[in-house]
C-alpha cells in the first residue's frame, strides 16, 4: 500500500511560480508517478508523468512551463510550475504506480488527497 501526501499549493498571481511536493510512504522508486489536476466542473487531466528511469511526459498545455522530477532517496515527487496562468487553477493530485506509462488517470493506482493551486490575473 502506498500513501501520497501533496503540499506546496497556494495562491499566486499570473506569471508566478509554485513548487508542489508529494511525499510517498512505501516503496515507490520503481513506480511511475504523475501529477494530475481537476478544475471545478471539468474532468481530471494529466499534467506530467515520470517513470522509474526518469523519462517524462507532459501535457501540451504545460510544456515549457512545468517540470516534473523525483527524488527516489526521499520517496518524493515534485512539480515546478513557472509562468502560471489563471487556467492552471485547479486541485492538483499526485499519483503513483501506473499500469502503463501515460497521462491517463485510469492508468494510475494510488492517489493523494490533492493540493489547491489558484492563479489570479
Amino acid at each position: 500500500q502506498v500513501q501520497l501526501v501533496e503540499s506546496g499549493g497556494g495562491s499566486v498571481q499570473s506569471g508566478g511560480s509554485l513548487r508542489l511536493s508529494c511525499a510517498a510512504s512505501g516503496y515507490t522508486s520503481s513506480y511511475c508517478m504523475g501529477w494530475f489536476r481537476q478544475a471545478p466542473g471539468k474532468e481530471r487531466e494529466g499534467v506530467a508523468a515520470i517513470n522509474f528511469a526518469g523519462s517524462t511526459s507532459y501535457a501540451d498545455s504545460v510544456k515549457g512551463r512545468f517540470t516534473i522530477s523525483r527524488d527516489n532517496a526521499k520517496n518524493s515527487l515534485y512539480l515546478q510550475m513557472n509562468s502560471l496562468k489563471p487556467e492552471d487553477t485547479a486541485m492538483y493530485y499526485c499519483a503513483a504506480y501506473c499500469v502503463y506509462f501515460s497521462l491517463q488517470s485510469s492508468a494510475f493506482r494510488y492517489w493523494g488527497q490533492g493540493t489547491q493551486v489558484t492563479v489570479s490575473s
Side-chain angles (χ1 to χ4, degrees):
Q1 188 72 16
V2 173
Q3 292 185 328
L4 305 170
V5 179
E6 303 93 338
S7 62
S11 296
V12 296
Q13 290 191 329
S14 182
S17 298
L18 282 174
R19 188 188 193 218
L20 304 183
S21 298
C22 173
S25 65
Y27 181 75
T28 58
S29 298
S30 63
Y31 293 171
C32 56
M33 301 186 75
W35 288 100
F36 292 76
R37 66 187 182 187
Q38 188 167 18
K42 294 188 177 181
E43 293 186 354
R44 188 172 297 188
E45 63 172 346
V47 175
I50 185 168
N51 69 7
F52 69 95
S55 295
T56 59
S57 178
Y58 294 94
D60 288 342
S61 59
V62 306
K63 282 180 181 176
R65 300 188 298 123
F66 291 10
T67 302
I68 189 172
S69 61
R70 65 191 299 167
D71 185 336
N72 289 336
K74 295 183 178 179
N75 265 357
S76 293
L77 179 71
Y78 306 100
L79 185 68
Q80 178 66 43
M81 304 185 295
N82 298 328
S83 302
L84 283 161
K85 304 175 181 181
E87 50 263 45
D88 295 318
T89 295
M91 184 71 77
Y92 282 72
Y93 299 90
C94 172
Y97 190 85
C98 60
V99 178
Y100 51 91
F101 190 57
S102 168
L103 288 176
Q104 294 181 353
S105 59
S106 60
F108 284 79
R109 177 174 295 180
Y110 301 110
W111 293 86
Q113 294 300 307
T115 185
Q116 178 67 38
V117 171
T118 302
V119 184
S120 58
S121 57

